[in-house]
């Protein structure tokens, strides 16, 4: 016997207890993540059919699904390209054809003129008239009247071998148990439900599976019904709670305390800078330093638009941790960016006599061993690198702080791996992102982190002027690029490619570099792409930074982080192929110096509606948050967070776009539950996240 789970809870009732679910069907259901009766109840319809009313033929449009009540007027077998039985039917308002490609002799004899039918099907435009192809139909006889459905008919998302009729049967059985066995216990306190005016759970579930005839589901995208909000809210709440728990777990560990008075190295570093920090940078540094002083691990996300100066903030924090006697790991998502960080950190740290280590995926053999040894012996104060830092054999002597740059590329799990490299003490974690995540998303995806925002750009920056031009104007653009460089400025030429083929993208970049050089023979043109040797890339980047090159032709490898303030023109070829986030990142490479900067988005016609809208957004605004909000609307939350790769934040019911307004509510109710009703928290998390919370105990 299972103990601990109340016998009457659907949580515990395996789906095989429903009639007709044998091992084969159970296996198919498992593919959809459905193991229990509760899972069945949370498997909501994609859409609904209206079989509650008879629709006059005159009102039908192609694409509608509808019930019609008709009389057969003609029936004939057509022998065209495909043999088919064509049945003309009529009601008082018009006529249409039923088309059957497969039919039996029985059907032929039934569907004779005069027969009365009730049909359901999707209306299509035929060669001459509207048609229903293979409709469901019933012959009406006087002694056998048919009643209409009382609720809308659900259509479920499904997998091979599970038909809609099975789903209707499964959900019917599950819903029946709602009455008999109280299977979905209400977990939310009455006070909360009443305040938020949400219906009780069983009622909400029943409504969504069998909406009453008068509801209009097609309006739900704009105005979700309370039933749906009820479920989405509970799911968002459970998600919030699980992240809070994760956070509480992590913060329970001891961490190295770094006293705020340790300012010696930081003061020296500040003094060596050619600029003053912005107020926003100072504020964020103070927030971080306050965290570090506590003996529990910091978990903080620093958001700042491209060019807001996150790197120096990270460096100033790093030296404080080093001064306290600990090591720092600084991790970047691409080799190019890691290399640039190494360059900056070395420039800043060497005068302070701090040793900087560097590890990338390309380091092999002896060189790698040397770095690892110096690290574990505590000779290195900071290790800069790519995801190579996650590897098992990378061991620190006294890891005190992990800095992850451009966080959206790494998932929670990866962060946790690094955290575990700290030995007895948990290192602090500082996560930096330039992806301005809309607030609701940030609150959901990063509920386990505190948030600091660098909401100010260094002074003197000029907004980038963006123009959108058809590729037919390419020659003109190239001439303009030439003139720009003749005046002593520098420029990027960015190549994109439709498929995710790095090889092809690199070839395109090579070809572009050659053709630009032919048209503009006087310019010094460099090339970076992902397939060049690290040393070669590095050298080219350095030359560009030192203004020994006029133009840098590049693939999208320069998307993140690359910082060359004098470059003030960027041309993005085939810009229509890129998403908003990527375009914004790329454009962020210019506009970093004091001179006026330009971004030219070259597109290939014809533009899709979506691409047109993206380019219009880019032209209209350079505010990262506005771009991100638009991106969320155009692409949906999964894509924005890059969760396709990381598998996080996948909701069964909630939709972060549609349910945005529920997120702050879920947050405040999460506080309330933790405070006043802690006993229901684990049950709520288990219901919605189940095994997915496993990593909280890593
Ligand atoms: P991001 O936030 O995009 O990572 P970076 O850290 O690369 O930005 O900084 C962009 C550029 O701005 C760098 O050249 C950096 O040295 C410079 N910078 C950073 N802070 C300031 C400041 N307060 N004043 C002037 N320039 C700054
Ligand atoms: Mg950066």
């Amino acid at each position: 016997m299972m103990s601990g789970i109340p016998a009457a809870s659907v949580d515990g009732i395996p789906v095989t207890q429903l009639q007709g679910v044998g091992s084969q069907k159970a296996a198919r259901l498992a593919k959809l993540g459905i193991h229990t009766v509760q899972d069945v109840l949370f498997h909501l319809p994609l859409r609904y059919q209206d079989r509650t009313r008879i629709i006059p033929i005159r009102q039908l449009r192609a694409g509608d699904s509808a019930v019609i009540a008709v009389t057969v007027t003609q029936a004939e077998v057509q022998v065209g390209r495909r043999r088919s039985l064509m049945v003309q039917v009529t009601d008082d308002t018009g006529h249409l054809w039923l088309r059957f490609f497969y039919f039996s002799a029985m059907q032929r004899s039934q569907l004779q003129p005069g027969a009365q039918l009730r049909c359901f099907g999707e209306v299509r435009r035929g060669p001459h008239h509207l048609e229903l192809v293979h409709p469901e139909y019933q012959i009406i006889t006087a002694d056998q009247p048919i009643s209409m459905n009382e609720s809308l008919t659900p259509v479920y998302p499904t997998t091979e071998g599970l038909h809609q009729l099975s789903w209707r049967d499964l959900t019917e059985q599950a819903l029946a148990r709602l009455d008999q066995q109280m299977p979905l216990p209400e977990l939310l306190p009455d006070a909360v439900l009443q305040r938020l005016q949400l219906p009780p759970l069983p009622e909400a579930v029943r409504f969504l599976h069998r909406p009453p005839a008068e509801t209009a589901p097609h309006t739900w995208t704009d105005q979700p019904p309370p039933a749906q909000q009820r479920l989405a809210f509970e799911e968002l709440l459970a998600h919030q709670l699980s992240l809070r728990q994760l956070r509480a777990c992590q913060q329970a560990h001891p961490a190295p305390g770094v006293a705020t008075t340790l300012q010696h190295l930081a003061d020296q570093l500040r003094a060596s800078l050619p600029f003053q920090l912005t107020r926003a940078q100072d504020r964020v540094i103070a927030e971080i330093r306050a965290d570090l002083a506590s003996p529990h691990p910091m978990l903080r996300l620093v958001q700042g638009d491209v060019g807001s100066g996150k790197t120096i903030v990270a460096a100033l924090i790093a030296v404080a941790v080093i001064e306290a006697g600990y090591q720092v790991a600084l991790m970047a998502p691409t080799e190019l960016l890691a290399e640039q960080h190494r360059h900056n950190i070395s420039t800043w740290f060497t005068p302070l006599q701090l040793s900087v280590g560097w590890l990338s995926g390309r380091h092999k053999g002896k060189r790698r061993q040397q770095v690892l040894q110096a690290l574990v012996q505590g000779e290195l104060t900071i290790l800069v690198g790519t995801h190579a830092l996650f590897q098992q054999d990378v061991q620190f002597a006294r890891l005190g702080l992990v800095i992850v740059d451009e966080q959206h590329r790494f998932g929670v799990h990866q962060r946790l791996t690094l955290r575990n490299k700290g030995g007895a003490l948990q290192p602090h974690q500082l996560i930096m992102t330039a992806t301005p995540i809309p607030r609701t998303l940030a609150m959901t995806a990063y509920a386990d982190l505190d948030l600091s925002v660098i909401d100010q750009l260094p002074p003197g920056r000029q907004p980038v002027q963006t123009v959108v031009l058809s590729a037919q104007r390419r020659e003109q653009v190239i001439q303009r690029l030439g003139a720009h460089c003749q005046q002593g400025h520098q420029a990027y030429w960015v190549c994109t490619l439709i498929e995710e083929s790095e090889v092809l993208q690199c070839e395109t970049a090579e070809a572009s570099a050659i053709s630009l050089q032919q048209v503009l023979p006087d310019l010094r043109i460099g090339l970076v792409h992902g397939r060049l040797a690290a040393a070669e890339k590095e050298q080219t980047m350095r030359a560009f930074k030192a203004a020994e090159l006029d133009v840098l032709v590049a693939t999208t490898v320069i998307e993140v982080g690359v910082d060359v303030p004098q470059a003030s023109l960027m041309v993005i070829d085939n810009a229509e192929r890129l998403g908003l986030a990527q375009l914004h990142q790329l454009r962020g490479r210019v506009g970093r110096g004091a001179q006026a900067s330009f971004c030219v988005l070259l597109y290939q016609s014809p533009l899709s509606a979506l691409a047109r809208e993206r380019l219009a957004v880019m032209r209209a605004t350079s505010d990262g948050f506005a771009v991100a909000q638009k991106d969320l609307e155009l692409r949906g939350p999964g894509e924005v967070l890059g969760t396709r790769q990381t598998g996080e934040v996948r909701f069964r019911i909630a939709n972060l776009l549609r349910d945005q307004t529920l997120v702050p509510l879920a947050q405040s109710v999460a506080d309330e539950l933790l405070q006043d009703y802690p006993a229901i928290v684990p049950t709520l998390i288990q219901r919605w996240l189940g095994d997915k919370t496993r990593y909280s105990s890593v």
Side-chain angles (χ1 to χ4, degrees):
M1 274 304 295
M2 284 194 278
S3 60
I5 300 171
S9 157
V10 155
D11 265 325
I13 305 179
V15 72
T16 45
Q17 295 224 341
L18 298 180
Q19 267 173 29
V21 183
S23 57
Q24 194 187 20
K25 196 175 259 185
R28 285 181 178 148
L29 287 167
K31 262 201 236 160
L32 296 170
I34 295 177
H35 307 281
T36 65
V37 173
Q38 176 181 277
D39 292 334
V40 172
L41 289 170
F42 286 158
H43 187 73
L44 296 184
L46 274 178
R47 55 194 171 82
Y48 303 87
Q49 296 167 343
D50 188 351
R51 298 175 187 234
T52 67
R53 317 174 275 153
I54 292 167
I55 307 290
I57 289 179
R58 185 156 36 104
Q59 286 180 16
L60 294 178
R61 303 262 134 73
D64 292 350
S65 290
V67 180
I68 53 175
V70 291
T71 309
V72 175
T73 49
Q74 273 185 59
E76 61 190 46
V77 174
Q78 281 187 354
V79 284
R81 220 158 24 98
R82 250 179 112 177
R83 208 172 96 94
S84 52
L85 172 62
M86 296 296 293
V87 180
Q88 191 191 44
V89 297
T90 180
D91 62 8
D92 293 341
T93 71
H95 68 270
L96 52 68
W97 292 84
L98 314 181
R99 184 188 287 272
F100 298 89
F101 294 114
Y102 310 97
F103 52 94
S104 61
M106 211 293 265
Q107 278 176 308
R108 260 191 89 175
S109 65
Q110 275 181 336
L111 295 169
Q112 287 300 321
Q116 302 216 325
L117 310 177
R118 200 161 284 184
C119 309
F120 177 85
E122 187 186 322
V123 181
R124 298 198 200 162
R125 210 178 301 285
H128 307 294
H129 300 280
L130 293 180
E131 296 182 351
L132 296 184
V133 179
H134 279 279
E136 297 168 34
Y137 70 91
Q138 276 173 290
I139 310 269
I140 313 264
T141 52
D143 52 336
Q144 195 198 7
I146 306 180
S147 62
M148 297 302 288
N149 289 357
E150 280 167 17
S151 55
L152 301 179
T153 307
V155 179
Y156 292 93
T158 190
T159 181
E160 214 183 316
L162 276 171
H163 301 293
Q164 290 302 327
L165 283 176
S166 295
W167 279 111
R168 281 172 215 155
D169 174 48
L170 286 173
T171 49
E172 201 63 39
Q173 291 188 54
L175 289 170
R177 287 183 183 232
L178 270 181
D179 296 328
Q180 300 156 11
Q181 302 177 326
M182 285 193 11
L184 270 187
E186 179 63 74
L187 298 179
L188 300 187
D190 274 348
V192 170
L193 288 178
Q194 273 171 20
R195 193 172 65 235
L196 301 181
Q197 299 189 327
L198 293 171
L201 187 60
E203 194 181 301
V205 165
R206 194 184 309 282
F207 178 92
L208 292 170
H209 283 284
R210 302 288 184 269
E214 63 278 8
T215 41
H218 58 273
T219 62
W220 287 5
T221 348
D222 300 327
Q223 220 180 21
Q228 194 176 57
Q229 300 246 297
R230 168 69 183 76
L231 290 175
F233 174 76
E234 190 177 312
E235 185 175 29
L236 288 168
L237 178 63
H239 189 84
Q240 285 288 335
L241 288 167
S242 98
L243 286 171
R244 302 275 177 103
Q245 206 172 51
L246 174 62
R247 179 191 163 84
C249 254
Q250 295 195 41
Q251 293 205 313
H253 293 89
V258 177
T260 42
T261 47
L262 296 177
Q263 290 290 357
H264 182 65
L265 288 174
D267 286 345
Q268 268 186 285
L269 175 49
R270 270 173 194 259
S272 73
L273 296 175
F275 52 76
Q276 293 246 311
L277 295 194
T278 60
R279 255 183 303 111
Q281 284 170 316
D282 272 327
R283 175 175 41 76
V284 169
I285 288 172
E287 286 166 6
I288 298 170
R289 288 301 301 263
D291 281 0
L292 292 181
S294 119
H296 298 291
M298 166 178 76
L299 290 159
R300 190 169 279 277
L301 177 70
V302 171
Q303 245 186 48
D305 210 344
V306 280
S308 60
K310 292 183 291 295
T311 320
I312 186 62
V313 168
L316 284 163
I317 295 303
V319 292
V321 172
I322 292 168
E323 192 171 330
Y326 297 96
Q327 291 169 299
V328 176
L330 169 56
M331 193 167 53
T334 67
E335 199 137 334
L336 202 60
L337 185 52
E339 160 57 28
Q340 181 182 283
H341 280 331
R342 173 177 81 135
H343 175 77
N344 286 332
I345 296 287
S346 299
T347 313
W348 290 327
F349 281 28
T350 312
L352 307 177
Q353 263 117 43
L354 300 176
S355 55
V356 177
W358 157 243
L359 197 65
S360 91
R362 293 173 193 262
H363 283 130
K364 300 265 148 59
K366 196 149 165 243
R367 224 171 119 208
R368 185 181 152 83
Q369 281 314 316
Q370 278 170 356
V371 175
L372 293 185
Q373 191 147 29
L375 188 67
V376 78
Q377 288 174 352
E379 289 158 21
L380 297 177
T381 61
I382 186 168
L383 183 64
V384 181
T386 56
H387 52 269
L389 303 203
F390 288 129
Q391 282 158 12
Q392 184 113 61
D393 58 347
V394 180
Q395 295 295 334
F396 293 78
R398 300 173 312 276
L399 181 60
L401 170 68
V402 175
I403 303 171
V404 183
D405 197 12
E406 310 298 345
Q407 141 77 11
H408 61 294
R409 305 248 171 151
F410 299 106
V412 167
H413 298 76
Q414 283 172 306
R415 280 199 276 124
L416 294 181
T417 317
L418 257 187
R419 184 197 76 189
N420 290 335
K421 293 187 183 293
L425 292 179
Q426 294 270 320
H428 298 284
Q429 292 184 55
L430 182 63
I431 290 118
M432 305 195 294
T433 177
T435 310
I437 303 152
R439 219 181 138 64
T440 45
L441 267 189
M443 285 195 289
T444 310
Y446 302 121
D448 60 328
L449 305 175
D450 291 309
L451 182 64
S452 289
V453 184
I454 308 183
D455 51 5
Q456 187 181 19
L457 292 178
R461 296 273 170 85
Q462 303 205 21
V464 180
Q465 266 189 53
T466 302
V467 286
V468 178
L469 294 176
S470 150
Q472 287 164 348
R473 313 260 305 263
R474 180 189 303 269
E475 293 313 317
Q476 264 169 281
V477 171
I478 293 176
Q479 291 308 326
R480 186 169 153 192
L481 177 105
H484 182 82
C485 295
Q486 293 299 340
Q487 291 163 14
H489 304 304
Q490 289 173 280
Y492 295 98
W493 184 281
V494 182
C495 300
T496 57
L497 201 81
I498 235 167
E499 293 113 51
E500 288 285 297
S501 158
E502 213 202 345
V503 183
L504 284 176
Q505 200 187 25
C506 298
E507 282 170 7
T508 312
E510 276 165 16
S512 300
I514 292 168
S515 72
L516 277 178
Q517 190 72 79
Q518 278 164 354
V519 182
L520 302 169
D522 296 339
L523 294 191
R524 298 161 301 172
I525 297 178
L527 174 68
V528 286
H529 59 61
R531 293 173 63 84
L532 294 176
E536 200 174 338
K537 264 196 288 194
E538 217 171 283
Q539 203 185 354
T540 308
M541 285 310 297
R542 244 176 224 169
F544 188 59
K545 209 160 186 163
E548 289 155 16
L549 292 172
D550 302 303
V551 182
L552 187 68
V553 176
T555 56
T556 47
V557 293
I558 62 159
E559 172 193 344
V560 264
V562 169
D563 179 44
V564 181
Q566 324 81 273
S568 53
L569 170 64
M570 172 172 284
V571 180
I572 304 179
D573 206 2
N574 292 111
E576 79 280 0
R577 292 170 179 171
L578 300 180
L580 272 178
Q582 221 177 354
L583 286 169
H584 181 70
Q585 286 293 323
L586 280 168
R587 182 173 59 182
R589 302 307 113 218
V590 292
R592 302 189 147 225
Q595 72 273 36
S597 295
F598 306 90
C599 178
V600 179
L601 303 175
L602 275 182
Y603 67 86
Q604 199 71 46
S605 309
L607 275 182
S608 70
L610 196 61
R612 183 180 304 277
E613 191 158 356
R614 284 198 299 255
L615 296 180
V617 172
M618 288 299 293
R619 187 173 40 208
T621 182
S622 56
D623 172 359
F625 283 91
V627 171
Q629 184 63 36
K630 202 67 202 172
D631 199 24
L632 179 63
E633 285 161 27
L634 293 179
R635 286 198 301 164
E639 296 275 343
V640 172
L641 286 171
T643 46
R644 286 264 167 99
Q645 293 93 334
T646 58
E648 291 167 52
V649 206
R650 206 178 293 141
F651 293 102
R652 285 198 251 183
I653 290 163
N655 170 323
L656 287 181
L657 189 55
R658 185 193 60 204
D659 303 324
Q660 278 187 58
T661 51
L662 294 177
V663 175
L665 289 179
Q667 232 181 4
S668 71
V669 172
D671 288 335
E672 190 179 338
L673 294 194
L674 287 168
Q675 182 80 44
D676 300 336
Y677 309 87
I680 65 166
V681 169
T683 325
L684 204 50
I685 294 177
Q686 174 63 30
R687 168 182 282 175
W688 289 98
L689 287 105
D691 295 343
K692 278 184 246 152
T693 50
R694 254 175 314 160
Y695 58 74
S696 62
S697 56
V698 170

